[in-house]
Amino acid sequence: MGEDRNTAPRDTLVRRLSHTVLGVALVSSALTAGATGFLSEHMLLMAEDHQLRSAALHLLDEAAGLDEAQAGEVANHELTELAGSAIGITLFAGERRLGGAPGIDALSGCEWSRAPGQAGLRRCGVAAGGRLVVTEQHLAFVPLMRSWLAGAALLAAVGAALLSLAMSRRMARWAARPLTELSESLSRLQPGMPVPAPLDTPARYAEVDALRVALVELLGRSQEALEQSRRFSANAAHELRTPLAALRIELELQAENPHPPDTAASLARLLRTVISLGTLVERLLVLADGARGTLEWVEPVRLPELTEEVLLGLAKEAASRVRVETEGAGQVRGDAHLLRQLVENAVDNALKFSGKGPVLVRIRDTGETTLLEFQDEGPGVSREDSARVFEPFYRSPRARARHPGHGIGLSLVALIARAHHARAEFLEAERGAHLRVTFAREP
């Protein structure tokens, strides 16, 4: 079985946009926090290296022009002065240490110590005038700062996620608002009615306007095709009405004359066929005329009285199976002829599918609506068919197998209901079918 066309989509554009905004916010916040941490650590390390180089250059300046013994004394003095800053310093001449802190190896440039037990020890070597000064300092806070920055990045990402979660759906709704407005304009379309003004007005955004133009062109082609179909149906029905009426009169006159039993039975079958064709033609005319769109309201119509008139036109056996219950005046505004067609088709459908069972017609007023309901004890309407049965010429497999028909009756019910700003629908029922037509209450 195919997928139900009325199934709600599993996703929405707003949700997709909100997820995109959320993802972009998370990625951008993580990248920003990571880049900020990396740059902060790098700039802080550059500042510490600058301090170590400055101390080395200061010692080289003070030892310039001194012999090795004097330079060593200056280095020892400098070490003492830098003790308060936790900076160690050593002066070298080639590979020989002249003075300063012991245990510092000669090196050029700045690097982390790789010796065991010296994690977090930073050393910088500066050479000038044949001498080398190496400074060192424990920067234990730098690894700790890496942990802090990682925590800050995580905290920023969490904060961005929460903020995005709160704002992304609102931002997505704002971004999708032009499409929502276009959808609202489309939902106000009625069969046969002209394109509403919002669809004729160019949209502000190029992408939405391109979609609007394509939809308007599609609607124009569809309306033209529908109008051609309507004209064909109306013309065909009009062409058939006159000869069918003449044929019916001729058969009725022939049926009044005495005939052999076989001939009389054949005339009766022909007359029933012609009457059925005449009914079909009348229904096609109503269907074709109703496809123009909403019909104008012409008069107040009391549904209980109209229903009784319909029952008077039924055969006695069929009318005896129909029970009418009324709660309230049951008055609506509309075309009495079309509303009679609605009731006739709904009652005929219920009688046909209920077999020999009873049919209940209930008319009742509620707070703001008038309900016209038809209940039978037939096989009922499945959930899959509850919407399709109102389509012209559609008949479910069960109906095709058990009952003759053309698939027009319920489509006329829906069409006439829509012309009166009413809604026809099948409700779930424990037994049989439950058709409801909901009218707005007359003010």
Side-chain angles (χ1 to χ4, degrees), residues 3-13 15:
E3 184 177 354
D4 188 358
R5 297 179 299 173
N6 295 323
T7 301
R10 290 186 293 269
D11 204 354
T12 64
L13 183 59
R15 187 179 302 160

Side-chain angles (χ1 to χ4, degrees), residues 366-431:
T366 64
E368 298 180 354
T369 61
T370 296
L371 302 180
L372 175 60
E373 298 176 314
F374 305 87
Q375 293 179 256
D376 61 59
E377 296 183 2
V381 178
S382 67
R383 180 177 299 179
E384 293 77 11
D385 289 329
S386 61
R388 296 204 63 191
V389 291
F390 295 112
E391 297 176 4
F393 307 108
Y394 174 80
R395 304 189 72 228
S396 67
R398 181 189 300 175
R400 289 196 299 269
R402 299 183 180 181
H403 303 282
H406 307 97
I408 294 179
L410 289 177
S411 65
L412 283 177
V413 170
L415 182 67
I416 296 171
R418 187 165 59 245
H420 290 79
H421 299 289
R423 183 179 74 256
E425 59 185 336
F426 274 99
L427 306 180
E428 292 188 6
E430 294 182 359
R431 182 179 181 184

